[in-house]
């Protein structure tokens, strides 16, 4: 399913990076060259803490370079639900963290002039059922009353045309704080910023094993090793056997995307009126947005075991796009690709330290485009002893998900995810 993505096809020029050979030393070695790993190194290098990133493939290869580029506020589930589970004060901290995450990305992009088509036009969450719109109205009241957040606007079905030209939904809500961007170009720009500050990135350098030795950590690859004071593991849904506890705690779920041929400006304006990032409330949701080169990028869930299944999934996704936007029935699909989204049992990101002292962050559950850069910053603060206990997502201990195999975990998590969405809608 890993066909070339639209983002790879339209990426800025890539810098060629060497694979690790021989022995290297640094303060912090980071496993994973996605948003979280790059951000960790970025914030450490700003404080003159020497970092090395080991990336199995190339910068942005995983979810960071394949996602929909929707930089959204919040998390899976309403903040009302999170307040009931974690307490109102913790939920307020979580919400503020999600807002700060988008501000952080915007700041990094502006500071380093990263060319990634960043647009902060908000997002539109479309109601698949009338009852879902009722839930959005309740959530708007809760956000204003309990979170002092007044940037959410509910759109009734009769006014849906002011946001989307589609017969498929029953209204929705706008959150003005969200954004969208070219995710791979952001990753590439962040990587260059890390290197400009003295960090080192090795590509085609899979971390195979590690051990603690004389107060240091030794990470082995097939052609070399890195000796460092601290270890950060941020491989998310692409975690392999490098760290068994993390592998048993994260569930990778497949997501697929298609992108149309370039559309006319008139048609783009007709489809999504204000160039917002869009997602809906279906159990197996759709998410979509316009790109800088006037395509519609359209995504959804997908899991397959054969090429025939993959073909069916992409065909079904295109049929879904046409159901939402009948205007696109004759539009050619130029790109289609897939990747993995990382989930935890709580449907919230996990950040913290393992018993051996290694730092981690994973399980962004479709909100990684926003949250993972902040995760890197928070990890860096902890390493530098600047954390201050101000992270509401920090986990004291990781517990493996009680499923018996990777396949069972994924299937079980998808069923749980659908029930979870039903409960919060």
């Amino acid at each position: 399913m890993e066909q070339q993505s639209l983002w790879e096809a339209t990426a800025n020029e890539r810098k060629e990076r060497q694979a690790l050979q021989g022995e290297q030393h640094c303060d912090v070695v980071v496993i994973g060259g996605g948003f979280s790993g790059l951000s960790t190194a970025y914030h450490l290098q700003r404080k003159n803490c020497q970092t090395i990133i080991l990336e199995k493939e190339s910068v942005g290869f995983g979810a960071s370079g394949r996602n929909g580029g929707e930089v959204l506020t919040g998390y899976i589930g309403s903040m009302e639900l999170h307040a009931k589970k974690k307490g109102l004060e913790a939920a307020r901290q979580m919400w503020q963290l999600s807002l700060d995450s988008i501000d952080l990305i915007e700041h990094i992009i502006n500071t380093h002039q990263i060319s990634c088509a960043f647009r902060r036009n908000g997002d539109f969450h479309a109601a698949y059922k009338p009852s879902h719109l009722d839930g959005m109205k309740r959530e708007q009241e809760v956000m204003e009353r309990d979170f002092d957040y007044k940037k959410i606007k509910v759109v009734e079905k009769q006014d849906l045309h002011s946001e989307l030209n589609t017969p498929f939904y029953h209204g929705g809500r706008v959150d003005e704080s969200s954004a969208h961007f070219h995710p791979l170009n952001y990753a590439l720009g962040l990587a260059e910023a890390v290197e400009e500050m003295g960090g080192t990135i090795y590509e085609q350098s899979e971390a195979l094993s590690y051990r603690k030795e004389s107060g240091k950590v030794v990470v082995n690859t097939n052609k070399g090793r890195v000796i460092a004071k601290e270890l950060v593991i941020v491989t998310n849904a692409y975690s392999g056997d490098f760290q068994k506890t993390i592998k048993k705690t994260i569930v990778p779920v497949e997501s697929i995307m298609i992108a149309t041929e370039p559309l006319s400006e008139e048609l783009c304006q007709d489809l999504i009126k204000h160039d917002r990032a869009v997602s809906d409330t279906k159990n197996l949701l759709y998410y979509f947005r316009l790109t800088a080169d006037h395509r519609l990028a359209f995504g959804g869930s997908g899991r397959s075991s054969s090429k025939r299944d993959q073909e069916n999934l992409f065909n079904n996704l295109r049929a879904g796009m046409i159901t939402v936007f009948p205007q696109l029935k004759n539009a050619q699909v130029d790109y289609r690709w897939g990747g993995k989204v990382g989930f935890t049992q709580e449907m919230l990101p996990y950040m913290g330290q393992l018993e051996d002292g290694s730092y981690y962050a994973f399980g962004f559950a479709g909100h990684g485009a926003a949250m993972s850069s902040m995760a890197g910053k928070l990890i860096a603060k902890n390493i530098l002893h600047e954390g201050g206990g101000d992270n509401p997502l920090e986990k004291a201990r990781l517990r493996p998900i009680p499923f018996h195999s990777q396949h069972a975990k994924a299937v079980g998590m998808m069923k749980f995810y659908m029930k979870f969405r039903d409960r919060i809608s």
Side-chain angles (χ1 to χ4, degrees):
M1 193 181 291
E2 296 176 359
Q3 304 179 44
Q4 186 184 43
S5 71
L6 167 67
W7 314 126
E8 187 69 46
T10 59
N12 297 334
E13 184 177 356
R14 274 187 179 273
K15 177 181 177 180
E16 289 190 14
R17 297 180 174 89
Q18 295 180 343
L20 173 68
Q21 295 191 31
E23 182 175 289
Q24 296 293 332
H25 294 254
C26 63
D27 296 316
V28 181
V29 56
V30 179
I31 313 302
F35 295 155
S36 297
L38 294 167
S39 178
T40 300
Y42 174 84
H43 287 95
L44 288 172
Q45 291 294 154
R46 290 184 64 196
K47 297 298 181 71
N48 297 314
C49 182
Q50 192 62 38
T51 62
I52 289 176
I53 295 176
L54 297 178
E55 166 54 44
K56 178 181 178 181
E57 302 288 345
S58 56
V59 164
F61 172 82
S64 296
R66 305 188 199 197
N67 66 81
E70 298 195 357
V71 189
L72 307 178
T73 60
Y75 309 83
I76 287 183
S78 68
M79 295 311 301
E80 180 182 23
L81 176 65
H82 293 308
K84 289 179 180 177
K85 293 177 65 176
K86 294 183 172 292
L88 182 56
E89 186 54 39
R92 285 172 174 165
Q93 291 178 348
M94 287 171 59
W95 179 253
Q96 188 59 51
L97 190 65
S98 84
L99 299 178
D100 293 344
S101 296
I102 304 175
D103 290 342
L104 173 64
I105 291 168
E106 187 170 24
H107 175 73
I108 291 173
I109 290 170
N110 290 338
T111 299
H112 298 279
Q113 295 296 295
I114 299 174
S115 177
C116 62
F118 181 84
R119 298 290 301 276
R120 199 162 188 179
N121 290 350
D123 79 279
F124 185 75
H125 198 39
Y128 180 57
K129 299 177 180 179
S131 61
H132 296 174
L133 187 65
D134 293 337
M136 291 175 180
K137 292 177 181 178
R138 183 175 66 252
E139 180 73 355
Q140 180 192 34
E141 295 173 359
V142 169
M143 294 304 295
E144 287 192 10
R145 183 188 69 232
D146 296 338
F147 294 80
D148 194 29
Y149 187 72
K150 301 176 181 178
K151 293 186 177 182
I152 292 176
K153 179 183 73 172
V154 172
V155 178
E156 299 284 354
K157 182 173 183 179
Q158 63 266 27
D159 300 319
L160 180 60
H161 63 275
S162 67
E163 292 290 335
L164 305 176
N165 186 2
T166 175
F168 192 64
Y169 297 116
H170 293 267
R173 71 102 184 99
V174 173
D175 188 326
E176 297 175 3
S177 296
S178 299
H180 61 73
F181 63 4
H182 188 301
L184 182 54
N185 280 342
Y186 171 66
L188 296 176
L190 187 53
E192 291 186 6
V194 168
E195 291 171 325
E196 287 170 2
M197 292 187 292
T200 303
I201 302 172
Y202 292 106
E203 295 183 331
Q204 309 301 318
S205 299
E206 180 180 6
L208 300 174
S209 64
Y210 74 98
R211 68 182 186 275
K212 294 299 179 78
E213 183 180 280
S214 303
K216 297 286 185 74
V217 61
V218 181
V219 179
N220 297 298
T221 70
N222 64 340
K223 293 184 179 180
R225 66 178 189 168
V226 176
I227 300 175
K229 299 175 184 176
E230 303 287 357
L231 170 64
V232 177
I233 306 169
V234 278
T235 45
N236 198 31
Y238 288 81
S239 298
D241 293 327
F242 180 73
Q243 216 298 323
K244 299 296 177 62
T245 300
I246 290 177
K247 179 181 179 180
K248 293 177 181 178
T249 312
I250 189 167
V251 178
V253 175
E254 295 285 349
S255 187
I256 60 174
M257 292 199 74
I258 57 176
T260 68
E261 63 186 335
L263 309 172
S264 69
E265 289 191 31
E266 293 78 14
L267 181 53
C268 289
Q269 178 63 32
D270 181 59
L271 298 176
I272 303 175
K273 306 299 182 181
H274 304 292
D275 193 17
R276 304 193 200 278
V278 184
S279 60
D280 69 19
T281 60
K282 290 195 310 88
N283 279 334
L284 297 177
L285 82 163
Y286 294 143
Y287 55 95
F288 49 93
R289 43 154 299 205
L290 298 168
T291 66
D293 56 350
H294 300 128
R295 304 173 190 269
L296 184 76
F298 193 94
S301 300
R303 184 169 184 80
S304 65
S305 57
S306 69
K307 289 185 178 180
R308 178 178 295 181
D309 289 340
Q310 291 179 17
E311 193 70 24
N312 289 336
L313 285 171
F314 282 118
N315 289 339
N316 289 339
L317 185 60
R318 184 179 185 278
M321 179 184 73
I322 294 171
T323 300
V324 175
F325 292 123
Q327 309 94 307
L328 297 179
K329 64 181 180 180
N330 295 321
Q332 177 177 310
V333 170
D334 280 355
Y335 298 96
R336 57 187 200 174
W337 68 98
K340 299 175 183 177
V341 182
F343 286 81
T344 68
Q345 194 167 17
E346 293 182 51
M347 299 290 174
L348 288 172
Y350 286 172
M351 306 178 200
Q353 278 183 276
L354 299 172
E355 292 182 2
D356 65 12
S358 303
Y359 295 84
Y360 63 82
F362 61 85
F364 300 104
H367 286 257
M371 187 58 64
S372 53
S373 291
M374 177 58 74
K377 179 179 180 179
L378 293 173
I379 289 173
K381 288 178 67 176
N382 282 345
I383 291 173
L384 298 168
H385 305 291
E386 298 175 354
D390 56 353
N391 181 2
L393 300 176
E394 193 153 337
K395 293 285 291 183
R397 183 182 178 188
L398 288 179
R399 293 180 175 86
I401 296 173
F403 296 126
H404 300 298
S405 69
Q406 285 297 322
H407 176 71
K409 283 197 294 183
V411 173
M413 182 58 72
M414 183 56 72
K415 290 180 179 178
F416 177 68
Y417 173 53
M418 289 189 288
K419 290 179 181 179
F420 189 88
R421 286 184 65 89
D422 273 341
R423 190 166 73 248
I424 65 177
S425 297

